[in-house]
Amino acid sequence: MKTVYIGGEGEIVEKKSRFIATVRPVASEEEAVAFIAEMKKKYWDARHNCSAFVIGDRQELSRCSDDGEPAQTAGRPMLDVLLREEIHNVAVVVTRYFGGVLLGTGGLVRAYQGAVQAGLAASTIIDKKEGVRLTVGTDYTGLGKLQYLIAQQNLTLIDTVYTEKVELQLMVPAEQQQEVEKEIVEATNGSARISWGEKVLYALVDKKIEIFEKNT
């Protein structure tokens, strides 16, 4: 599930009109509405503050507003970008400062969509997945085989503890749990100690693993 980890701001200029896109993660409709109101207050002197948001694991709640632009030229095109990118729990406001030149229906659609894309490009977007914590204990002769397996399965190594033996702490995608356990058993001839932990939501942020609560 793709979500916004850190919101951003992007800007484009079309025929002297400025389009400023502000992106923010939101967990509820109330948060989205409050964010939109905040942007309208911040950019009170702008001609338009158009908005769109998508909330839910299946993008089940979505809303958009043209805020005075011709119907279907701003809010819906903005929403279409969020839906196409399959981003969840996100709101975006595109502020337009009119530059004196009319853009036409097609021009408005392209400008508002381009602004949203610029805002998303300036944001940190992550892909949350369901995973299971795994601890594997092995002797040093089995370490190389496990390291090869981790690379082959593209698993996330959280930590390695070296004592008389080696303990590897991993995050395994939930759908790979049975396959990974089978391969570890085969690779170490059943000598590895395998301990599964809880299921969590996780994502890689700047190549570091972040753990999230189920409802965030």
Side-chain angles (χ1 to χ4, degrees):
M1 183 176 75
K2 289 168 65 177
T3 62
V4 174
Y5 184 66
I6 301 174
E9 182 181 292
E11 180 177 337
I12 66 171
V13 177
E14 287 290 337
K15 295 182 180 179
K16 299 182 180 179
S17 280
R18 292 175 62 206
F19 294 83
I20 305 166
T22 307
V23 177
R24 184 173 295 179
V26 291
S28 65
E29 184 173 9
E30 290 75 18
E31 279 189 29
V33 170
F35 162 62
I36 294 166
E38 177 188 333
M39 290 299 101
K40 286 186 174 183
K41 184 177 180 180
K42 178 179 178 180
Y43 295 111
W44 60 271
D45 58 338
R47 178 73 67 91
H48 306 282
N49 285 286
C50 305
S51 59
F53 61 86
V54 180
I55 295 169
D57 292 349
R58 295 174 300 281
Q59 297 180 308
E60 54 264 33
L61 175 61
S62 62
R63 299 281 187 275
C64 60
S65 169
D66 294 311
D67 194 39
E69 291 282 28
Q72 304 294 306
T73 62
R76 183 67 217 191
M78 291 166 58
L79 180 60
D80 286 343
V81 174
L82 301 180
L83 295 173
R84 185 172 65 243
E85 296 293 332
E86 297 183 342
I87 300 176
H88 304 248
N89 299 334
V90 60
V92 59
V93 174
V94 175
T95 301
R96 181 188 183 190
Y97 285 96
F98 184 57
V101 181
L102 296 176
L103 300 183
T105 300
L108 285 173
V109 170
R110 287 190 295 272
Y112 277 101
Q113 289 194 328
V116 173
Q117 290 164 346
L120 292 175
S123 305
T124 302
I125 297 174
I126 60 174
D127 190 5
K128 290 183 181 179
K129 300 178 181 179
E130 187 176 52
V132 189
R133 297 175 188 266
L134 171 62
T135 301
V136 182
T138 183
D139 54 30
Y140 282 87
T141 59
L143 180 59
K145 294 177 181 178
L146 288 176
Q147 289 173 331
Y148 176 78
L149 175 60
I150 290 168
Q152 286 292 102
Q153 292 286 336
N154 198 28
L155 303 179
T156 302
L157 181 63
I158 301 173
D159 196 12
T160 306
V161 179
Y162 297 96
T163 55
E164 296 83 8
K165 294 192 175 184
V166 185
E167 185 177 272
L168 304 173
Q169 297 175 12
L170 309 169
M171 181 63 68
V172 178
E175 67 272 13
Q176 293 178 237
Q177 185 174 358
Q178 292 183 338
E179 178 188 357
V180 167
E181 179 163 342
K182 178 183 176 183
E183 294 204 11
I184 290 174
V185 170
E186 290 177 355
T188 62
N189 294 320
S191 64
R193 300 184 311 281
I194 300 172
S195 176
W196 292 100
E198 61 182 345
K199 284 188 177 180
V200 297
L201 287 177
Y202 76 100
L204 293 178
V205 182
D206 294 330
K207 297 183 179 180
K208 294 183 180 179
I209 193 166
E210 291 276 353
I211 308 295
F212 302 91
E213 295 181 8
K214 285 281 189 177
N215 61 348
T216 63

